[in-house]
């Protein structure tokens, strides 16, 4: 997208606040209009006071100067406050749009992006955009008006000398154009490097226990220093380009000024210009250098802002999860059918799932087992449409799930996984999360009781109102699992997905979690993903996956009797357990 198109799109986000923005622009116009008034006052002051000795000019000139600066000061305050208000609203609005987009992006997008880069977009990049949308506009608009006003006064005084001054304009435009390309490129690099640095910081914070235990402090410090140095190098490229533009422009202006001063002195010798006119002209020209410098300098934040706008709009323009379904099945019975289902993560043609045919009756518990990478989690992730099959279809109660509204489909599914996600909120808010936040305290307590969670919740200082910390850091693994089970119980969905829900737990915690799971699974269609085969012996059916295909299926006893892959997996785990 071109710089102009980017900027126009950015300005469209300012449209809802056009009244405040217009007030700011009015302030800018008043400030800009007062700028040429100072050199304009010099001509009658010098000619009227020192040459003509005019009493009226002597008396009223100080009043005009004082009034001029009072008006200018008030207008400048209004302009700065109004445009800053608009800028801050713009940041808030863009962050809101970006965050809403993050909530709707498909799982594939998160697979391809680092969380550090996404966080950087919402924190760093969007702040750069504001500068381009308001601050840059202020400088360009105000200083352009000032330049026009000063040039107009100079034309009125002496059009020949003014035309000579304008010779420098094309040269300045060329300099600015060359430098702007470098600034935009380096700004893109800064944003990328900032995202990478944020990622290192985030990983270090989240993995601080591993860092400390394995002595990774020096390694992480080196990673951070390398990224921080990359950011510094890119920022210095920006500084070098921006710093070069100002002295070059000023030198061009000084060259023109020196020539004009020489020619003006020649005109004064022939009485073509008065003393007041000469001083007024030179003053106006000298005053031109400041706005010219600001207009030239504004190129750096403008290009930085446009590069940030590319990043922000790239996120906003990402396609969200496809939700073309129109049907709402209400509360499902829980019958699930996989018909020739295939799925591939990449474009290399390698299938994570290949031709899966599987029928699950309402209320049936089906365990998915197999070696790592066999496709167990992928198969489960297709049910709530975290991913879309690349071949075949999945049916819920006879409805193709692609024909169902996403919200309606997911309302029928609950998930308990090994990696429990808890939010830095109260215990009650984590159990009654999302659409369940309107449920009563009694219903939350009932779900927590059924999940064997109230026994430890009662011991907390605030009970259900205790803050759990970031991702439940104040809780043990078993306690986090039981809160996740309580959340699933409260949702009361007919379809349940258990993804390694009892792995990595001690014996006591596993006993509580297993008991809670039995309550949760009662009467629900359940897909269980498990590595520990001892936990799924009671499943109605066990499906063994191998390289994305169903290798065998049956009950625990049937599969052991077949002496196939399941029996081999079971024996290997049994031997590993007895040896340990």
């Amino acid at each position: 997208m071109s710089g102009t198109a980017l900027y126009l799109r950015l300005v469209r986000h300012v449209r809802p606040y056009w009244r405040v923005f217009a007030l700011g622009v009015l302030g800018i116009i008043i400030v800009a209009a007062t700028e040429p008034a100072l050199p304009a006052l010099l001509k009658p002051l010098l000619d009227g006071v020192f040459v003509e000795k005019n009493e009226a000019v002597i008396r009223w000139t100080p009043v005009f100067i004082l009034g001029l600066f009072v008006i200018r000061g008030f207008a400048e305050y209004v302009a700065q406050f109004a445009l800053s208000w608009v800028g801050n609203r713009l940041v808030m609005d863009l962050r809101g749009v970006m965050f809403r987009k993050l909530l709707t992006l498909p799982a594939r997008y998160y697979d391809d992006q680092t969380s550090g880069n996404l966080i950087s977009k919402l924190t760093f990049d969007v702040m750069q955009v504001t500068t381009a949308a308001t601050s840059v506009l202020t400088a360009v608009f105000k200083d352009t008006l000032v330049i026009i006003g000063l040039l107009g006064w100079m034309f009125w005084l002496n059009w020949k000398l003014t035309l000579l001054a304008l010779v420098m304009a094309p040269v300045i435009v060329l300099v600015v154009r060359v430098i702007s390309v470098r600034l935009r490129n380096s700004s893109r690099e800064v944003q990328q490097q900032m995202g990478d640095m944020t990622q290192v910081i985030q990983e270090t914070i989240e993995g601080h226990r591993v860092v400390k235990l394995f002595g990774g402090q020096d390694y992480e410090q080196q990673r951070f220093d390398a990224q921080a140095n990359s950011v510094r190098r890119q920022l210095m490229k920006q500084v070098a380009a921006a710093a070069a533009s100002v002295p070059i422009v000023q030198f061009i202006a000084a060259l023109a000024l020196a020539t004009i001063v020489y020619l003006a002195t020649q005109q004064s010798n022939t009485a073509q210009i008065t003393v007041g006119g000469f001083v007024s002209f030179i003053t106006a020209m000298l005053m031109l250098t400041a706005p010219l410098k600001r207009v030239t300098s504004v190129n750096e934040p403008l290009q930085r802002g446009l590069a940030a706008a590319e990043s922000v709009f790239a996120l906003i323009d990402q396609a969200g999860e496809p939700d073309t379904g129109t049907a709402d099945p209400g509360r499902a019975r829980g019958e699930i059918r996989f018909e020739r289902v295939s799925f591939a993560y990449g474009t290399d043609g390698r299938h994570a799932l290949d031709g899966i045919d599987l029928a699950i009756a309402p209320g049936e518990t089906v365990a998915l087992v197999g070696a790592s990478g066999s496709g167990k989690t992928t198969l489960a992730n297709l049910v709530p449409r975290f991913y879309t099959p690349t071949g075949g279809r999945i049916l819920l109660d006879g409805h193709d799930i692609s024909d169902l509204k996403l919200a309606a489909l997911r309302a029928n599914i609950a998930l308990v996984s090994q990696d429990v996600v808890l939010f830095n909120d109260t215990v009650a808010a984590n159990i009654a999360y999302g659409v369940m936040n309107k449920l009563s305290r009694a219903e939350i307590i009932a779900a927590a009781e059924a999940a064997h969670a109230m026994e430890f919740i009662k011991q907390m200082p605030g009970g259900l109102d205790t803050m759990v910390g970031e991702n439940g850091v104040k809780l043990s693994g078993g306690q986090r699992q039981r809160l996740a089970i309580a959340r699933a119980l409260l949702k009361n969905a007919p379809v349940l997905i258990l993804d390694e829900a009892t792995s990595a737990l001690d014996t006591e915690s596993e006993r509580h979690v297993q008991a809670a799971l039995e309550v949760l699974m009662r009467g629900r269609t359940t897909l269980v993903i498990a590595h520990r085969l001892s936990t799924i012996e009671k499943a109605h059916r066990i499906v063994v996956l191998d390289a994305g295909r169903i290798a065998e299926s049956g009950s625990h006893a049937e599969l052991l009797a077949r002496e196939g892959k399941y029996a081999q997996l079971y024996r290997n785990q049994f031997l590993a357990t007895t040896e340990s």
Side-chain angles (χ1 to χ4, degrees):
M1 190 180 291
S2 68
T4 304
L6 270 174
Y7 201 84
L8 290 175
R9 183 174 179 183
L10 203 53
V11 170
R12 282 201 295 272
H13 285 272
V14 179
R15 191 179 298 163
Y17 315 112
W18 69 269
R19 289 182 178 85
V20 180
F21 188 75
L23 182 64
V25 170
L26 178 62
I28 290 173
I29 292 172
I30 293 171
V31 172
T34 60
E35 195 88 6
L38 185 61
L41 279 172
L42 287 176
K43 186 178 188 302
L45 177 65
L46 291 174
D47 290 341
V49 174
F50 296 102
V51 179
E52 301 169 7
K53 310 295 184 182
N54 189 314
E55 289 293 330
V57 173
I58 295 171
R59 188 181 308 113
W60 287 104
T61 297
V63 177
F64 280 130
I65 292 174
L66 185 62
L68 180 69
F69 278 91
V70 167
I71 294 169
R72 179 188 176 87
F74 179 74
E76 196 147 18
Y77 171 80
V78 170
Q80 187 171 344
F81 183 87
L83 290 170
S84 295
W85 186 89
V86 172
N88 286 318
R89 287 300 303 238
L90 177 65
V91 169
M92 186 182 75
D93 290 351
L94 284 175
R95 280 181 175 152
V97 173
M98 293 167 76
F99 193 75
R100 281 193 293 275
K101 176 60 71 172
L102 284 177
L103 294 174
T104 64
L105 288 171
R108 280 184 183 271
Y109 182 82
Y110 288 101
D111 293 342
D112 297 334
Q113 299 290 326
T114 63
S115 54
N117 270 306
L118 292 176
I119 292 169
S120 180
K121 286 176 186 289
L122 268 81
T123 54
F124 177 73
D125 292 5
V126 76
M127 289 300 295
Q128 307 302 309
V129 167
T130 313
T131 308
T134 56
S135 304
V136 168
L137 186 64
T138 304
V140 171
F141 192 65
K142 174 183 141 186
D143 290 323
T144 301
L145 288 175
V146 168
I147 290 169
I148 291 170
L150 290 172
L151 285 174
W153 175 247
M154 289 166 63
F155 259 110
W156 188 82
L157 285 175
N158 194 316
W159 64 271
K160 293 179 181 177
L161 294 179
T162 305
L163 287 176
L164 181 60
L166 291 176
V167 171
M168 64 182 176
V171 183
I172 293 174
V173 169
L174 180 62
V175 171
V176 170
R177 187 175 182 82
V178 170
I179 291 174
S180 65
V181 175
R182 183 175 176 83
L183 285 172
R184 178 86 71 90
N185 292 335
S186 61
S187 294
R188 290 193 191 102
E189 288 297 323
V190 167
Q191 286 152 26
Q192 178 64 41
Q193 297 297 338
M194 280 293 293
D196 293 342
M197 187 174 73
T198 306
Q199 181 67 22
V200 173
I201 295 169
Q202 183 183 354
E203 289 176 353
T204 304
I205 292 171
E206 291 177 352
H208 68 96
R209 290 184 178 86
V210 174
V211 172
K212 292 171 183 173
L213 193 61
F214 288 89
Q217 290 93 335
D218 291 342
Y219 173 71
E220 295 302 331
Q221 186 67 57
Q222 289 169 8
R223 287 179 69 205
F224 178 80
D225 289 345
Q227 291 299 334
N229 194 39
S230 295
V231 173
R232 181 197 62 81
R233 284 200 304 268
Q234 294 301 328
L235 286 172
M236 288 312 299
K237 287 181 180 179
Q238 285 186 354
V239 170
S245 66
V246 174
I248 291 172
V249 169
Q250 287 182 328
F251 175 76
I252 297 168
L255 188 63
L257 178 63
T259 306
I260 288 167
V261 168
Y262 173 76
L263 293 174
T265 54
Q266 297 300 312
Q267 286 186 355
S268 65
N269 291 334
T270 58
Q272 295 181 40
I273 190 170
T274 65
V275 172
F278 174 74
V279 173
S280 181
F281 186 90
I282 294 300
T283 303
M285 186 161 183
L286 288 171
M287 289 177 68
L288 268 176
T289 58
L292 276 173
K293 177 183 174 181
R294 287 194 295 268
V295 168
T296 308
S297 301
V298 93
N299 191 43
E300 179 195 2
L302 175 62
Q303 296 304 323
R304 194 166 59 236
L306 291 177
E310 285 180 331
S311 171
V312 168
F313 291 135
L315 174 62
I316 292 173
D317 292 340
Q318 283 293 326
E321 283 186 297
D323 189 10
T324 56
T326 56
D328 184 348
R331 181 173 178 82
R333 292 183 299 110
E335 181 193 12
I336 302 173
R337 295 183 65 87
F338 296 86
E339 297 182 350
R340 306 301 299 165
V341 171
S342 300
F343 180 78
Y345 282 101
T347 56
D348 56 3
R350 188 171 58 85
H351 282 84
L353 295 172
D354 189 7
I356 298 293
D357 281 307
L358 179 64
I360 305 172
E364 184 181 10
T365 297
V366 174
L368 303 175
V369 302
S372 295
S374 59
K376 304 183 298 295
T377 300
T378 300
L379 187 65
N381 281 336
L382 293 179
V383 177
R385 271 170 58 189
F386 291 145
Y387 299 95
T388 303
T390 50
R393 62 177 186 160
I394 303 171
L395 306 177
L396 176 65
D397 290 353
H399 301 281
D400 190 328
I401 62 171
S402 63
D403 296 331
L404 302 180
K405 297 176 183 176
L406 264 181
L409 169 66
R410 291 172 181 173
N412 282 289
I413 302 170
L415 169 68
V416 180
S417 66
Q418 175 186 356
D419 300 320
V420 176
V421 175
L422 296 177
F423 301 91
N424 188 22
D425 206 335
T426 64
V427 172
N430 274 285
I431 295 174
Y433 178 72
V435 295
M436 301 181 292
N437 61 8
K438 300 282 194 304
L439 297 179
S440 68
R441 181 60 66 102
E443 290 173 296
I444 296 172
I445 291 173
E449 290 278 10
H452 293 234
M454 278 309 295
E455 60 183 58
F456 70 82
I457 293 173
K458 289 175 182 176
Q459 298 172 5
M460 293 180 167
L464 284 168
D465 297 317
T466 304
M467 299 292 289
V468 302
E470 184 180 356
N471 205 25
V473 69
K474 298 178 182 179
L475 305 175
S476 69
Q479 290 171 339
R480 289 198 296 271
Q481 287 285 28
R482 280 181 271 175
L483 287 188
I485 292 169
R487 183 191 294 164
L489 276 165
L490 192 61
K491 186 173 184 181
N492 193 27
V495 177
L496 176 64
I497 299 172
L498 303 179
D499 188 356
E500 304 285 354
T502 59
S503 64
L505 295 180
D506 58 81
T507 305
E508 180 65 18
S509 295
E510 184 178 350
R511 184 178 63 81
H512 282 292
V513 170
Q514 198 64 49
L517 285 174
E518 288 176 7
V519 175
L520 177 61
M521 293 163 64
R522 203 171 295 149
R524 305 179 202 279
T525 304
T526 307
L527 270 176
V528 183
I529 302 166
H531 279 125
R532 293 168 66 176
L533 304 184
S534 59
T535 62
I536 46 97
E537 292 177 5
K538 296 179 182 179
H540 297 118
R541 192 159 29 125
I542 297 169
V543 175
V544 182
L545 292 174
D546 182 34
R549 297 180 178 176
I550 295 178
E552 53 187 356
S553 175
S555 68
H556 172 69
E558 290 170 350
L559 292 176
L560 284 180
R562 286 183 196 171
E563 291 292 330
K565 284 189 174 295
Y566 179 78
Q568 183 181 351
L569 287 169
Y570 191 82
R571 276 196 300 270
N572 289 343
Q573 280 198 10
F574 180 76
L575 287 172
T577 304
T578 54
E579 287 174 1
S580 62

